Amino acid sequence: MKVLGIETSCDECAAAVVEDGRKILSSRVATQIDLHREYNGVVPEIASRIHTEWIRPVVGEALAEAGLRKEDIDAVAVTNRPGLIGSLLVGVNFAKSFAYALGIPCVGVDHLRAHVYAAHLEQDIDYPYIGLLVSGGNTVLCEVRGFDDLTVRGTTIDDAVGEAFDKVAKFYDLGYPGGVAVDKLSREGDPDAFVFPMPRLYKGDHPYDVSYSGLKNAVINQRHQFLRPDAADTKANIAASFQKRAVDILLKKLFKLCDDTGIKRVVAGGGVAANSYLRQELAGRKDLTVIFPSLKLCGDNAAMVAGIGWHYLKRGDADGLRLSASPRVGGFRKSYP
Ligand code: KG4
């Protein structure tokens, strides 16, 4: 079954064709980065307006790259939550119209589940595993027992990890998008120049939750308090020290979750999964099997949407014209120990 995937939840306008949940026949990602650069962040109104202009040509490119006509497509899968509501609506309405015109099924896909699925496009992965979903809008540690069977074990209580990267980069004018700029500059810096604080969360009911607002505040407003006396107060040192702490916050909870559950397989996804320090630290853990998607599948893309969409379609879950969009995270089983 050839599924057309559509992804417009934020500032990437993406379309892909994936066969049987695995074989990527095409994947096009048109990024709006240049249009949002002057604002140092995504402007929702601009994002949705640009999606309305780009969605048709991007889908056309995905079909052409796959060497297919629209009549060759068997079904459509589209991200319908969570994300920027205006942006999501463009993709959802395009997907519904496309499917209706061709008389084929259309299914809505959760963006976060799609990110966790991304690595499955490149290799066979056995369940269960711990999903590490790290992006600009979300930070989730979950137990994954099937493509649709996720139990959230930890999440951020405030900012997402990617958001912290973006805000630190914006404040210090390091470049846009922030995560990529911090990662690059960190290579020139000393990760121990600043000893930024590790959050101490109440461990009671939610032992795997993380927090980033304190770190963000420390790096932006109080960095001098954390500078080692013999170290230099440079942007590269700020970037490297921030990156180290931001990733260590994640890893501390991830390793605890692996120990507590006995699950030794970890699958990462989302834009921050491209981070080189995160990749390097996880590669060093010989007791864990860590699977990262390739860089092109870490950030937002439509191949992951078409891929996981196939599993829903195969089990008969089509939404058709009643599909709507939602900005909210939802539908996960939250079962905290
Ligand atoms: O998954 P994604 O493309 O979009 C969302 O669904 O949020 O993730 C974007 C996020 C941004 O916060 C961006 O700064 C971050 O991923 N990011 C990185 C890196 N590349 C992208 N963060 C740290 N290191 C990177 N190399």
Side-chain angles (χ1 to χ4, degrees), residues 229-243:
D230 55 329
D233 182 16
T234 62
K235 284 190 180 183
N237 283 351
I238 296 168
S241 305
F242 158 73
Q243 174 174 273

Side-chain angles (χ1 to χ4, degrees), residues 7 9-12 111-112 115 134-138 161-166 177-184 187 243 269-276 298-300 304:
E7 157 64 45
S9 65
C10 191
D11 60 335
E12 324 288 356
H111 184 69
L112 307 185
H115 268 307
V134 280
S135 71
N138 296 280
V161 56
E163 141 100 10
F165 271 88
D166 293 338
V180 180
V182 170
D183 194 349
K184 198 165 157 219
R187 285 175 212 146
Q243 174 174 273
V272 183
N275 184 264
S276 54
C298 284
D300 289 348
M304 64 185 189

